[in-house]
Amino acid sequence: MTSGLWELVLQGIWVTIQLLVLSTLLATAVSFAVGMARTHRLWVVRFLAGLYTEVFRGTSALVMIFWVFFVLPPAFGWQLVPLWAGTLALGLTYGAYGSEIVRGALNAVDPAQREGGIALSFTPWQRMRLILLPQAVPEMIPPFCNLLIELLKGTALVSIMGMGDLAFSGNLVRLALQESAEIYTYILIVYFVIAFLLTRVMRGLEKKLKAGVGKAPQRKVRTPEPAVVEGVR
């Protein structure tokens, strides 16, 4: 490839990374907000959070991108640039999946921990911040890592808006060179490298978080052997 085509691919990688970071931040915020709302004591809050989860989890991310980019402008009279439209659609969609991860991890915490917080007269927010989240967050990391990889692959959907991400740039290079196998192989390798780096980072974060909530190994208690009386079988 010429230097101009390589520059086009590098620009596509940069756009993909920008979209990944922004949509990850939005999805993380949505995940924790909605996931904690799913465990709220008020049924109205739980119902609204559950409704959001079911709607965005049950719709296609591709259709959601179309809806945000093409339906919202005539309805509200303003236009989002492709980067922000993709961030909004992907962040809200994958945040719905992440909220279930948060809800499941919070419900998995030992109920005795909640009771201990109540006995100490902690407010609900104090119990969540000081007791539940420190124990639940380390358990969220592995499923969040899988969700992050899925989000990385989902960024390729924004190419339908003409956004110059890695998939869109790779397609332009393919049309210029008429070399499908070579170009798409390069794109696959780039996606794999980014996903591999993300996995390493998430595993390191998991080890660091679990180091603070580790439990001391329990000692094995030896049971005394029964005394043997001579002459008795």
Side-chain angles (χ1 to χ4, degrees), residues 2 19 28-29 41 72 80 82 104 106 128 139 167 172 205 215:
T2 62
L19 180 61
T28 301
R41 64 183 184 276
L72 282 182
L80 286 173
L106 289 174
M128 180 67 69
E139 303 302 325
L172 292 181
L205 180 61
K215 295 182 179 179

Side-chain angles (χ1 to χ4, degrees), residues 115-195:
E115 297 170 1
I118 295 174
L120 293 172
S121 300
F122 283 179
T123 64
W125 170 241
Q126 286 177 325
R127 292 197 300 270
M128 180 67 69
R129 181 171 58 89
L130 301 176
I131 298 176
L132 300 179
L133 283 178
Q135 298 181 67
V137 169
E139 303 302 325
M140 301 177 193
I141 300 301
F144 264 134
C145 180
N146 292 332
L147 188 62
L148 183 59
I149 301 303
E150 289 296 324
L151 178 55
L152 168 65
K153 293 184 287 186
T155 58
L157 297 175
V158 301
S159 59
I160 62 173
M161 300 183 295
M163 186 175 173
D165 71 313
L166 177 58
F168 185 81
S169 301
N171 189 50
L172 292 181
V173 175
R174 180 189 67 84
L175 293 174
L177 298 179
Q178 296 297 317
E179 290 288 344
S180 299
E182 180 182 357
I183 300 304
Y184 285 129
T185 300
Y186 287 151
I187 295 176
L188 286 176
I189 292 174
V190 171
Y191 275 116
F192 171 77
V193 170
I194 297 175

Side-chain angles (χ1 to χ4, degrees), residues 175-230:
L175 293 174
L177 298 179
Q178 296 297 317
E179 290 288 344
S180 299
E182 180 182 357
I183 300 304
Y184 285 129
T185 300
Y186 287 151
I187 295 176
L188 286 176
I189 292 174
V190 171
Y191 275 116
F192 171 77
V193 170
I194 297 175
F196 180 79
L197 294 177
L198 291 175
T199 303
R200 295 289 99 186
V201 171
M202 295 296 284
R203 286 185 180 177
L205 180 61
E206 180 185 3
K207 290 181 180 179
K208 183 177 180 180
L209 291 175
K210 284 189 174 181
V213 294
K215 295 182 179 179
Q218 298 180 353
R219 295 182 179 180
K220 293 183 178 180
V221 180
R222 277 188 169 185
T223 56
E225 298 181 358
V228 178
V229 181
E230 294 184 359

Side-chain angles (χ1 to χ4, degrees), residues 23 26 64 68 72 78 80 83-93:
S23 55
L26 177 58
M64 187 60 65
V68 171
L72 282 182
W78 44 264
L80 286 173
L83 178 62
W84 294 113
T87 298
L88 184 62
L90 293 175
L92 293 177
T93 300

